[in-house]
Amino acid sequence: MKQEPDAAMNARFLATQAHSIIRKDGQIAAIQWRDGTTEVRRPTDNPWDKDNLIQRGLSSGLSKEQMNDLYVRDLAKSLGAGVTVDRYDDRNDAPTRGELMQSPGSGNGRGRRLSVAA
């Protein structure tokens, strides 16, 4: 099996687009990536456990998009008050990992804003 060169893997990793960006008090608290991975930047008093959702079977039978939605809703709920979610759906201008690594504070809020009840 031929391995992909490190530079190509790194470029693909950095090009992964955000599904949703969750902000708490204006700062990025977590990012749900389109590839299904989740990045939590600001831990909460109520630790979020993605594996628990999977083990409870809440994500079984869901498409990747539906699973991403489930993770975003559950994570936003765990963050409590002061949370906003910018969702990018299939937009081509969704921020990438590379872009958000360069502006780690708040990122560009150009997604569709969702209201979230804690």
Side-chain angles (χ1 to χ4, degrees), residues 74-87:
D74 196 65
L75 182 52
K77 183 179 173 184
S78 77
L79 290 166
V83 171
T84 59
V85 176
D86 288 321
R87 181 178 162 151

Side-chain angles (χ1 to χ4, degrees), residues 61-79:
L62 300 179
S63 69
K64 184 185 285 190
E65 184 68 23
Q66 291 169 323
M67 285 191 308
N68 283 339
D69 290 341
L70 170 69
Y71 299 149
V72 168
R73 283 192 309 271
D74 196 65
L75 182 52
K77 183 179 173 184
S78 77
L79 290 166

Side-chain angles (χ1 to χ4, degrees), residues 39-102:
E39 177 182 341
V40 178
R41 292 187 176 181
R42 292 181 64 191
T44 67
D45 293 337
N46 305 317
W48 183 70
D49 187 0
K50 183 181 200 175
D51 290 332
N52 183 33
L53 293 174
I54 295 167
Q55 290 169 356
R56 290 186 354 222
L58 297 177
S59 62
S60 66
L62 300 179
S63 69
K64 184 185 285 190
E65 184 68 23
Q66 291 169 323
M67 285 191 308
N68 283 339
D69 290 341
L70 170 69
Y71 299 149
V72 168
R73 283 192 309 271
D74 196 65
L75 182 52
K77 183 179 173 184
S78 77
L79 290 166
V83 171
T84 59
V85 176
D86 288 321
R87 181 178 162 151
Y88 294 92
D89 298 313
D90 291 330
R91 291 175 46 170
N92 289 332
D93 67 340
T96 65
R97 275 191 177 107
E99 291 172 339
L100 291 172
M101 288 171 74
Q102 291 175 5

